[in-house]
Amino acid sequence: MQYRTLGRTGIKVSPYGLGALMFATSMGNPPEDSARIIHRALDAGINLIDTADAYADSEEIVGKALQGRRDGVVLATKFGRPAGQDPNQRGGSRRWIVTAVERSLRRLRTDHIDLYQLHLPDPDTDIEETLAALTDLLAAGKVRAIGASHSTASSIVEAQWVAERRGLARFHTEQPVYSILNRGIEREILPIAQRFGIGTLVWGPLGQGLLTGRIRRDADTDVRRAGLVRHLTDARRVDVVERLIPLAAEAGLPMTHLAMAFAIAHPGVTTALIGVRTMEHLDALLSGLDVVLGDDLLDRIDAIVPPGTDVGVLDQAYQPPALTEPGLRRRPPAARAAA
């Protein structure tokens, strides 16, 4: 395994990271199966595991599985998504952060978290409030590095500016979606991350299942989620996959190897997170660790999906309030006329 430095933290991480959402028992995995998958990944050299307090009992399962192996793992988790009906049990306020971190530490059975990340932007909380609370956690030794997820380009710059202006710790990492189908972050997010020395943990490198080749145009599929999420049946995305499948075949690669090798080839990407549910899924991905895509193949991918563009949107992708709340982009009716 060729390890990479996580931003400017000095922490070395594997190019593949293990996403832990699928280890929650609500996703169908018995805890003992999840533990075996975690141990197999660690044995293969993967040393980064990423979970979240919002992933049902994933933190508990990961914490139990890491007993006796914790020191060899870069353990990342996230906070900020709603943890109940209480409006104060979410977001990036100091009140919630100091509570959320103690709960995660207890569930993970550890005395520190290597990377603690804001799961979603919190427009109701000043970023200075969030960074101040996280700075105190760093000073207390409860976390080793801090990061964010789903940030816009402007919010990344704002957080860096506030940290410098106020003498606070700055975000060390960003966690955006990235795959052959979703390349929007190449336009601003990745260049900004490189400029500020921010490590990136990209999620969805397999297009949430679409880049496995198991979903084809006008064909039945055994993917259980195909009827539940829109992005798996988006005609535009499926059409692109139909063009990628013969490209992978010509290169002698499984679609999954093509997709993963593409994700980690960008110089702004530190780690691509894989979310596996079975040992077979993990072993299939591990067999492609040494795959390198040549410039000619990358050029042909660029011709199918131009750099910096997205083919549709993932259902799980964060949408800022400016897009989801009509009232933020519409003047009151009486003020809409020019005269």
Side-chain angles (χ1 to χ4, degrees):
M1 191 72 70
Q2 298 188 47
Y3 295 94
R4 300 173 172 184
T5 304
L6 187 61
R8 293 177 180 163
T9 65
I11 299 171
K12 305 298 182 181
V13 295
S14 48
Y16 285 13
L18 194 60
L21 172 61
M22 300 304 292
F23 300 148
T25 51
S26 59
M27 302 299 290
N29 271 342
E32 57 273 16
D33 287 351
S34 296
R36 282 192 287 268
I37 293 171
I38 291 172
H39 295 161
R40 173 73 179 94
L42 297 180
D43 292 341
I46 291 177
N47 72 338
L48 172 67
I49 298 179
D50 178 77
T51 183
D53 61 2
Y55 295 167
D57 59 352
S58 173
E59 284 186 325
E60 296 173 357
I61 291 171
V62 170
K64 185 177 181 180
L66 292 183
Q67 293 299 289
R69 304 192 68 165
R70 171 67 183 90
D71 290 344
V73 175
V74 178
L75 182 56
T77 192
K78 300 182 286 292
F79 69 93
R81 285 187 179 273
Q85 297 301 313
D86 188 331
N88 287 313
Q89 292 188 352
R90 65 191 68 186
S93 70
R94 175 182 288 273
R95 184 182 190 275
W96 176 235
I97 289 173
V98 297
T99 299
V101 72
E102 295 296 340
R103 293 182 177 183
S104 287
L105 287 169
R106 183 176 64 253
R107 288 189 290 261
L108 290 167
R109 303 188 184 193
T110 186
D111 61 357
H112 72 278
I113 294 164
D114 295 301
L115 176 60
Y116 200 42
Q117 306 154 96
L118 176 63
H119 207 155
L120 291 174
D122 180 6
D124 295 327
T125 303
D126 194 312
I127 190 61
E128 182 178 343
E129 168 89 358
T130 301
L131 288 174
L134 293 173
T135 299
D136 289 345
L137 294 183
L138 287 164
K142 294 186 177 182
V143 303
R144 301 293 194 255
I146 58 174
S149 182
H150 299 284
S151 302
T152 61
S154 61
S155 65
I156 292 175
V157 174
E158 179 189 9
Q160 296 288 312
W161 182 86
V162 169
E164 181 179 352
R165 187 71 177 266
R166 301 302 186 190
L168 301 171
R170 63 189 187 93
F171 285 133
H172 302 109
T173 66
E174 174 61 31
Q175 189 172 144
V177 61
Y178 184 57
S179 73
I180 295 176
L181 297 173
N182 290 95
R183 302 182 61 176
I185 64 171
E186 293 175 344
R187 187 172 296 275
E188 288 189 298
I189 300 295
L190 289 178
I192 287 174
Q194 291 174 276
R195 180 175 181 178
F196 286 110
I198 297 172
T200 57
L201 290 67
V202 300
W203 61 275
L206 297 180
Q208 296 294 283
L210 198 52
L211 291 173
T212 62
R214 294 168 60 195
I215 297 177
R216 303 293 301 271
R217 185 194 302 127
D218 302 324
D220 294 333
T221 178
D222 59 350
V223 177
R224 292 180 296 177
R225 294 177 295 126
L228 302 176
V229 289
R230 291 170 296 177
H231 63 255
L232 290 178
T233 53
D234 184 323
R236 296 167 299 171
R237 294 169 69 83
V238 174
D239 285 344
V240 169
V241 172
E242 290 293 334
R243 298 174 65 187
L244 291 170
I245 287 175
L247 186 64
E250 184 179 334
L253 295 173
M255 273 289 291
T256 52
H257 292 182
L258 179 78
M260 290 300 301
F262 171 87
I264 65 171
H266 194 289
V269 171
T270 309
T271 295
L273 298 172
I274 55 176
V276 299
R277 191 174 59 82
T278 68
M279 191 72 77
E280 291 72 22
H281 292 163
L282 176 61
D283 286 338
L285 291 174
L286 291 177
S287 66
L289 284 173
D290 60 350
V291 171
V292 176
L293 304 186
D295 289 342
D296 178 66
L297 189 53
L298 290 170
D299 288 343
R300 295 177 68 182
I301 293 174
D302 287 349
I304 296 173
V305 182
T309 62
D310 290 320
V311 183
V313 179
L314 289 177
D315 290 20
Q316 302 97 320
Y318 171 74
Q319 297 295 325
L323 299 182
T324 60
E325 299 179 21
L328 296 179
R329 61 177 185 271
R330 298 174 184 173
R331 292 177 181 271
R336 293 176 189 170

